[in-house]
Amino acid sequence: MLMLVLATVGFALNFWAWALLSPLGPRFQEILQLSSLEQSLIVAVPVVVGSVGRIPVGALTDRFGGRVMFPVVTAATIVPVLYLGLAGHTSLAGLLIGGFFLGIGGTTFAIGVPFVNAWFPPERRGLAVGVFGAGMGGTAISALTTVQLVESGGTATPFVITAVALAAYAVLAAVVLRDAPGRSAPTQPLLRRLAATVRLGITWQASALYAVAFGGYVAFSVYLPVYLKSAYGLEQTDAANRMAGFVVLAVLMRPIGGWLSDRFGPVRVLAASLSVVVAGATMQSFTLDLAPEGTVAFLSMAVALGAGSGAVFALVAQASPADKVGSVTGVVGAAGGLGGFVPPLVMGAVYGATGSYAVGLALLALVSAAALVLTLTAVRTAVARRAA
């Protein structure tokens, strides 16, 4: 249990750092006179780097274990955090460079899943990995505190505080973290293991589902303040607080999604979650009144995306070979992050061209419907074959 708690705390702190730019997007747009696409790019760059970086980091975790990788990656994240807070925030180029390296913090997801997975028996892995996944609530910490800290202490304040927290955790992890007893490191070269991973059917099926479930969560967590400000005229602080509510609800649902998957199977949980996302995105494409219809649509999607994200990694834990959980997690986690990279850019481009977000939300509904069909056909068949 201690290892699960420490891994979750580390994940949350790194995700806090990873999400620092999102709440400040409207502020940077106003100060630096950025276009909607440039603003979207600032918040999307850390997402794509953190996502793609999970592939090698997951494979390295299979090789070296979470005990080594957690403190190393956490310490590396401190550098871009301090750069952005002290110098990088004054120009678009500085924000893009700092955001690129800030993506390192987003790779910790691929460390924690195999680390936690190894500590629990198969029948409890859905819940355990779901609890770890709740560390994505670090984005809520960022949403709730970043704007207020900037207003009270200056732009550098949230970045310096986050850097101190990361440094403290890096030291703690180096001293206390331990890999599960009996963990065996693979002997094959990194590229060969990655090649074997991409040949697994579960890798691509789970990647597609996670691109929708977690990708949808990431997209809303980074773009919702911009959406609420543009579509409903909310103040920056109010929009950030509402985004934090969305994030908190999704985070709370992630371990519940894992627990439900342990009891009823990940296919059923995914099917129910994706159905809710289809309905919610379709409703919100009409830009409903924020109170209560729009709020209900967004909160329903938060519940579904959180539960669905937990169910995907219950699926990974059940269906992946034990010595490839980290590698599969890296690829699937990358797909989820990339799934969150594209929508903010699409939403920014669509809004800039049409003055409406309807097309972007309609696309989310269509993609979610396609993922629902995949779940009820190929994924259900694969899970049944694995069980047999």
Side-chain angles (χ1 to χ4, degrees):
M1 182 59 71
L2 175 61
M3 295 300 106
L4 174 58
V5 171
L6 287 174
T8 304
V9 170
F11 180 35
L13 290 175
N14 278 277
F15 253 45
W16 176 13
W18 194 40
L20 280 170
L21 293 180
S22 174
L24 298 175
R27 179 185 180 90
F28 292 138
Q29 182 182 35
E30 184 176 332
I31 293 174
L32 300 177
Q33 297 297 300
L34 305 177
S35 67
S36 295
L37 186 59
E38 288 171 334
Q39 180 188 359
S40 299
L41 195 60
I42 287 173
V43 298
V45 164
V47 174
V48 70
V49 174
S51 304
V52 174
R54 290 173 190 171
I55 298 174
V57 167
L60 289 170
T61 302
D62 280 339
R63 177 67 179 85
F64 297 106
R67 181 176 184 270
V68 171
M69 295 299 294
F70 256 124
V72 168
V73 171
T74 300
T77 305
I78 296 171
V79 177
V81 169
L82 288 177
Y83 168 74
L84 284 166
L86 300 178
H89 64 271
T90 58
S91 68
L92 175 61
L95 286 168
L96 292 176
I97 292 170
F100 180 90
F101 290 100
L102 190 65
I104 294 170
T107 67
T108 48
F109 180 74
I111 303 172
V113 170
F115 176 80
V116 169
N117 196 66
W119 276 101
F120 290 86
E123 65 273 11
R124 295 177 59 197
R125 285 175 182 166
L127 176 58
V129 173
V131 170
F132 167 76
M136 66 186 189
T139 55
I141 300 174
S142 180
L144 290 170
T145 62
T146 301
V147 174
Q148 289 85 341
L149 287 171
V150 168
E151 291 176 349
S152 62
T155 301
T157 303
F159 294 90
V160 171
I161 291 174
T162 306
V164 171
L166 290 170
Y169 178 77
V171 173
L172 178 66
V175 173
V176 179
L177 275 186
R178 295 290 182 272
D179 288 310
R183 190 189 79 86
S184 59
T187 57
Q188 285 184 322
L190 175 63
L191 292 179
R192 186 177 297 175
R193 284 187 286 123
L194 288 175
T197 298
V198 299
R199 288 196 294 268
L200 296 172
I202 183 60
T203 301
W204 297 109
Q205 292 167 357
S207 292
L209 296 175
Y210 203 56
V212 178
F214 185 70
Y217 160 80
V218 171
F220 280 124
S221 68
V222 301
Y223 201 74
L224 199 54
V226 178
Y227 173 85
L228 292 173
K229 187 172 184 293
S230 300
Y232 294 101
L234 299 185
E235 296 295 326
Q236 181 180 347
T237 302
D238 189 15
N241 288 339
R242 289 173 185 268
M243 184 269 274
F246 179 97
V247 168
V248 168
L249 186 56
V251 166
L252 292 175
M253 286 304 301
R254 184 155 184 159
I256 294 174
W259 174 73
L260 289 171
S261 297
D262 285 341
R263 293 200 62 185
F264 302 110
V267 170
R268 291 179 180 177
V269 178
L270 281 164
S273 299
L274 291 167
S275 297
V276 172
V277 175
V278 171
T282 301
M283 291 170 55
Q284 193 54 33
S285 67
F286 295 99
T287 315
L288 306 172
D289 291 340
L290 191 56
E293 295 93 339
T295 299
V296 170
F298 276 117
L299 293 184
S300 298
M301 285 191 286
V303 168
L305 293 170
S309 296
V312 170
F313 277 95
L315 178 68
V316 169
Q318 288 182 16
S320 301
D323 63 342
K324 292 185 174 64
V325 172
S327 298
V328 174
T329 297
V331 176
V332 174
L338 291 173
F341 171 74
V342 175
L345 296 179
V346 172
M347 294 286 273
V350 167
Y351 185 76
T354 67
S356 171
Y357 291 108
V359 174
L361 287 159
L363 287 173
L364 173 60
L366 288 173
V367 171
S368 299
L372 176 60
V373 172
L374 175 68
T375 300
L376 295 175
T377 54
V379 174
R380 172 178 282 173
T381 301
V383 170
R385 187 182 300 119
R386 176 80 176 181

